[in-house]
Amino acid sequence: MVKNYLSVFLFLLLSANIYSQDQPTLDAARYGRPEHYFGDYAISGSANLLLNTPNGVQFAGGLKVRSFIGKRISFDSDLVFGRDYFHAGPGIIGLPMWIFFWGNSNNENDEDISFKDFLFKIAIIALSAEHVAYHIPYNNTVDISPYVSMLRFKSSYKFGEYSNIQNTNEQMSFAVGLELNKYFNRFTVSPYAEFNVGYADHIAGYNIGVYCGYYFQVK
């Protein structure tokens, strides 16, 4: 069953690739991939399939916030929720603070930044950096983003069995995945697939889905 769902993901990747190769000139003129600058960010919503949960295969919905710290690297945070399922990283708190704080600090002199502000920035970076992605340009409208998440909190229960002590229902987990970002000017469509494993029970899970979002540029 896992192979069948991964085949769907590969089909989405292939479809995006074929489309981008059919009309390279038109796409470059109308839907060019943006140059990523420090401070750029994107917000996306997703439809997800969660594989190998305590309930087998589940549908879920999600939200992702992405903040670029350079042309290739971004800090990401995702929040995914379904029936008796939830996962999120500390970046879901850190990234909105990052975007707000750094956006306002651009208008301030560095000399006015206090030691407390400096510590606050360090804390935001620590919260955000647990989920990092590297963006590889593929063509004029697509980039490929492998990512890793080191400290994701996951809560997953079998339907109606909230007192089951045989399973580790709430734990920190590790995830690694691959996302393809297709740009339509400021809009993005991003199929992804990931592998995740709990630090406590060491049980593997697989998630696939598609993010649709909007890209905000600072320049």
CSV table of all heavy atoms in Angstrom, one decimal, residues 12 15 19 26 36 38 48 52 68 81 93 105 114 139 157 165 168-169 175 194-195 212-213:
chain,number,residue,atom,x,y,z
A,12,LEU,N,2.9,13.0,-9.4
A,12,LEU,CA,2.8,14.4,-9.2
A,12,LEU,C,4.2,15.1,-9.6
A,12,LEU,O,4.2,16.2,-10.3
A,12,LEU,CB,2.4,14.8,-7.8
A,12,LEU,CG,1.0,14.4,-7.4
A,12,LEU,CD1,0.8,14.6,-5.9
A,12,LEU,CD2,0.0,15.2,-8.2
A,15,SER,N,4.5,15.0,-13.4
A,15,SER,CA,3.6,15.9,-14.1
A,15,SER,C,4.2,17.3,-14.0
A,15,SER,O,4.1,18.0,-15.0
A,15,SER,CB,2.2,15.8,-13.4
A,15,SER,OG,1.7,14.5,-13.5
A,19,TYR,N,5.4,19.5,-17.4
A,19,TYR,CA,4.8,20.8,-17.7
A,19,TYR,C,5.8,21.8,-17.8
A,19,TYR,O,5.8,22.7,-18.7
A,19,TYR,CB,3.7,21.1,-16.6
A,19,TYR,CG,3.1,22.5,-16.8
A,19,TYR,CD1,2.0,22.6,-17.7
A,19,TYR,CD2,3.6,23.6,-16.1
A,19,TYR,CE1,1.5,23.9,-17.9
A,19,TYR,CE2,3.0,24.9,-16.4
A,19,TYR,CZ,2.0,25.0,-17.2
A,19,TYR,OH,1.4,26.2,-17.4
A,26,LEU,N,7.6,30.3,-22.1
A,26,LEU,CA,6.4,31.0,-21.5
A,26,LEU,C,6.5,31.0,-20.0
A,26,LEU,O,6.2,32.0,-19.4
A,26,LEU,CB,5.2,30.2,-22.0
A,26,LEU,CG,3.8,30.7,-21.4
A,26,LEU,CD1,3.6,32.1,-21.9
A,26,LEU,CD2,2.7,29.8,-21.9
A,36,HIS,N,15.7,33.9,-4.1
A,36,HIS,CA,15.5,33.9,-2.7
A,36,HIS,C,16.4,34.9,-1.9
A,36,HIS,O,17.6,34.8,-2.2
A,36,HIS,CB,15.6,32.5,-2.1
A,36,HIS,CG,14.7,31.5,-2.7
A,36,HIS,ND1,13.4,31.7,-3.0
A,36,HIS,CD2,15.0,30.3,-3.3
A,36,HIS,CE1,12.9,30.6,-3.6
A,36,HIS,NE2,13.9,29.8,-3.8
A,38,PHE,N,17.3,36.9,2.0
A,38,PHE,CA,17.1,36.9,3.4
A,38,PHE,C,15.9,37.7,3.8
A,38,PHE,O,15.7,38.8,3.4
A,38,PHE,CB,18.3,37.5,4.1
A,38,PHE,CG,18.2,37.5,5.6
A,38,PHE,CD1,18.6,36.4,6.4
A,38,PHE,CD2,17.6,38.6,6.3
A,38,PHE,CE1,18.4,36.4,7.8
A,38,PHE,CE2,17.5,38.6,7.6
A,38,PHE,CZ,17.9,37.5,8.4
A,48,ASN,N,-2.9,16.1,3.1
A,48,ASN,CA,-1.9,15.1,3.4
A,48,ASN,C,-2.4,13.7,3.5
A,48,ASN,O,-3.6,13.5,3.9
A,48,ASN,CB,-1.2,15.4,4.7
A,48,ASN,CG,-0.8,16.9,4.8
A,48,ASN,OD1,-1.6,17.7,5.1
A,48,ASN,ND2,0.5,17.2,4.6
A,52,ASN,N,1.1,4.5,7.9
A,52,ASN,CA,1.6,3.7,9.0
A,52,ASN,C,1.4,4.4,10.3
A,52,ASN,O,2.3,4.4,11.2
A,52,ASN,CB,3.1,3.4,8.8
A,52,ASN,CG,3.5,2.2,9.6
A,52,ASN,OD1,2.7,1.3,9.9
A,52,ASN,ND2,4.8,2.2,10.1
A,68,PHE,N,13.2,32.3,4.5
A,68,PHE,CA,14.5,32.2,3.9
A,68,PHE,C,15.6,33.0,4.6
A,68,PHE,O,15.4,34.1,5.0
A,68,PHE,CB,14.5,32.6,2.4
A,68,PHE,CG,13.9,31.6,1.5
A,68,PHE,CD1,12.5,31.6,1.3
A,68,PHE,CD2,14.6,30.7,0.9
A,68,PHE,CE1,11.9,30.7,0.5
A,68,PHE,CE2,14.0,29.7,0.0
A,68,PHE,CZ,12.7,29.7,-0.1
A,81,PHE,N,-2.5,18.1,11.1
A,81,PHE,CA,-3.5,17.6,12.1
A,81,PHE,C,-4.6,16.8,11.3
A,81,PHE,O,-5.0,17.2,10.3
A,81,PHE,CB,-4.2,18.8,12.9
A,81,PHE,CG,-4.6,19.9,12.0
A,81,PHE,CD1,-5.9,19.9,11.5
A,81,PHE,CD2,-3.8,21.0,11.8
A,81,PHE,CE1,-6.3,21.0,10.7
A,81,PHE,CE2,-4.2,22.0,10.9
A,81,PHE,CZ,-5.4,22.0,10.4
A,93,ILE,N,6.3,28.4,16.5
A,93,ILE,CA,6.3,29.5,17.3
A,93,ILE,C,7.4,30.5,16.9
A,93,ILE,O,7.3,31.7,16.8
A,93,ILE,CB,6.5,29.2,18.8
A,93,ILE,CG1,5.4,28.3,19.3
A,93,ILE,CG2,6.6,30.4,19.7
A,93,ILE,CD1,5.6,27.7,20.7
A,105,SER,N,13.1,45.1,12.8
A,105,SER,CA,14.5,45.5,13.1
A,105,SER,C,15.2,46.0,12.0
A,105,SER,O,16.2,46.7,12.1
A,105,SER,CB,15.2,44.3,13.7
A,105,SER,OG,15.4,43.3,12.7
A,114,SER,N,19.6,45.9,22.1
A,114,SER,CA,20.1,45.6,23.5
A,114,SER,C,20.6,44.1,23.6
A,114,SER,O,20.4,43.3,22.7
A,114,SER,CB,19.0,45.9,24.5
A,114,SER,OG,18.0,44.9,24.4
A,139,ASN,N,14.9,24.3,-12.7
A,139,ASN,CA,14.8,25.1,-14.0
A,139,ASN,C,14.3,26.4,-13.6
A,139,ASN,O,14.4,26.9,-12.5
A,139,ASN,CB,14.0,24.3,-15.0
A,139,ASN,CG,12.6,24.1,-14.6
A,139,ASN,OD1,12.1,24.8,-13.7
A,139,ASN,ND2,11.9,23.1,-15.1
A,157,TYR,N,-2.8,8.7,18.2
A,157,TYR,CA,-3.6,7.8,19.0
A,157,TYR,C,-4.5,6.9,18.1
A,157,TYR,O,-4.9,7.4,17.0
A,157,TYR,CB,-4.5,8.5,20.0
A,157,TYR,CG,-3.9,9.1,21.1
A,157,TYR,CD1,-3.3,10.4,21.0
A,157,TYR,CD2,-3.8,8.4,22.4
A,157,TYR,CE1,-2.7,11.0,22.1
A,157,TYR,CE2,-3.1,9.0,23.4
A,157,TYR,CZ,-2.6,10.3,23.3
A,157,TYR,OH,-2.0,10.9,24.4
A,165,ILE,N,-1.7,2.2,27.0
A,165,ILE,CA,-0.4,2.4,27.5
A,165,ILE,C,0.6,1.6,26.8
A,165,ILE,O,1.8,1.6,27.1
A,165,ILE,CB,-0.3,2.2,29.0
A,165,ILE,CG1,-0.6,0.8,29.3
A,165,ILE,CG2,-1.2,3.2,29.8
A,165,ILE,CD1,-0.4,0.4,30.8
A,168,THR,N,3.5,4.3,22.4
A,168,THR,CA,4.0,5.7,22.7
A,168,THR,C,3.3,6.6,21.9
A,168,THR,O,3.5,6.9,20.7
A,168,THR,CB,5.5,5.8,22.4
A,168,THR,OG1,6.2,4.7,23.1
A,168,THR,CG2,6.1,7.1,22.9
A,169,ASN,N,2.2,7.2,22.5
A,169,ASN,CA,1.3,8.1,21.7
A,169,ASN,C,1.8,9.5,21.5
A,169,ASN,O,1.5,10.1,20.5
A,169,ASN,CB,-0.1,8.1,22.4
A,169,ASN,CG,-0.7,6.7,22.6
A,169,ASN,OD1,-0.9,6.3,23.7
A,169,ASN,ND2,-0.9,6.1,21.5
A,175,ALA,N,12.4,13.6,11.2
A,175,ALA,CA,11.8,13.5,9.9
A,175,ALA,C,12.8,14.0,8.8
A,175,ALA,O,13.6,14.9,9.0
A,175,ALA,CB,10.5,14.3,9.7
A,194,GLU,N,7.9,12.3,2.8
A,194,GLU,CA,8.8,12.3,3.9
A,194,GLU,C,8.8,10.9,4.6
A,194,GLU,O,7.8,10.2,4.6
A,194,GLU,CB,8.6,13.4,4.9
A,194,GLU,CG,7.3,13.2,5.7
A,194,GLU,CD,7.3,14.2,6.9
A,194,GLU,OE1,7.7,15.4,6.7
A,194,GLU,OE2,6.9,13.8,8.0
A,195,PHE,N,9.9,10.7,5.3
A,195,PHE,CA,10.0,9.6,6.2
A,195,PHE,C,10.2,10.1,7.6
A,195,PHE,O,11.0,11.1,7.8
A,195,PHE,CB,11.3,8.7,5.8
A,195,PHE,CG,11.7,7.8,6.9
A,195,PHE,CD1,11.1,6.5,7.1
A,195,PHE,CD2,12.7,8.1,7.8
A,195,PHE,CE1,11.5,5.6,8.0
A,195,PHE,CE2,13.2,7.2,8.8
A,195,PHE,CZ,12.5,6.0,8.9
A,212,CYS,N,0.0,24.1,-1.2
A,212,CYS,CA,-0.4,25.2,-2.1
A,212,CYS,C,-0.2,26.5,-1.2
A,212,CYS,O,-0.8,26.6,-0.2
A,212,CYS,CB,-1.8,25.2,-2.6
A,212,CYS,SG,-2.1,23.7,-3.6
A,213,GLY,N,0.6,27.5,-1.8
A,213,GLY,CA,0.9,28.6,-0.9
A,213,GLY,C,1.2,29.9,-1.7
A,213,GLY,O,1.1,29.9,-2.9
